[in-house]
Amino acid sequence: MIELARRQARGEAGLHLSVAVDSGVLYLEEEGAVLRTVRAEIGPDAWIGKTKRDSVRITAPRGARTIVRLLDDTTIVLNGGALIYARLPGDTSASARPGSVRMDALELRVLMPNLRPGQRVYFY
């Protein structure tokens, strides 16, 4: 599945994002050309909830997702609930939220004018 997402990303004709989960790198790509490379933090796998019976396991996204909406210059909301969000000044947390991707706020601001709802994001 991971290799399929990687091949789909390379073959995508339109502008899109790709996230290499294992290496923590986000790419802005179009027609196989890498236009921008950004370091990203991938949220750890975690159990969310109070007890094991009421908990849900959250893992890093895999496969193809779609941008649902853009919130200011700080957050990209993907289908399935995954987020790509900015590390804001004063954010002292050690890692990204489970199931999400965090990146430098300046880098995200640079990417935002190129992104639109409906664009694909590939996680591999």
Side-chain angles (χ1 to χ4, degrees), residues 8-19:
Q8 286 175 327
R10 286 190 186 134
E12 175 82 25
L15 192 65
H16 64 277
L17 295 175
S18 295
V19 180

Side-chain angles (χ1 to χ4, degrees), residues 15 25-26 28-29 34 36 43 47 51 55 67 70-72 79 87 94-95 110 121:
L15 192 65
V25 180
L26 182 139
L28 177 65
E29 299 178 312
V34 175
R36 190 167 189 95
W47 285 96
T51 67
S55 299
I67 296 175
L70 306 169
L71 304 175
D72 301 323
N79 67 326
R87 175 190 285 273
S95 65
V110 169
V121 180

Side-chain angles (χ1 to χ4, degrees), residues 67-78 108 111-117 119:
I67 296 175
V68 175
R69 68 177 186 253
L70 306 169
L71 304 175
D72 301 323
D73 288 337
T74 60
T75 307
I76 302 168
V77 180
L78 307 177
L108 187 55
L111 290 178
M112 285 299 232
N114 300 299
L115 303 177
R116 303 281 178 268
Q119 283 179 311

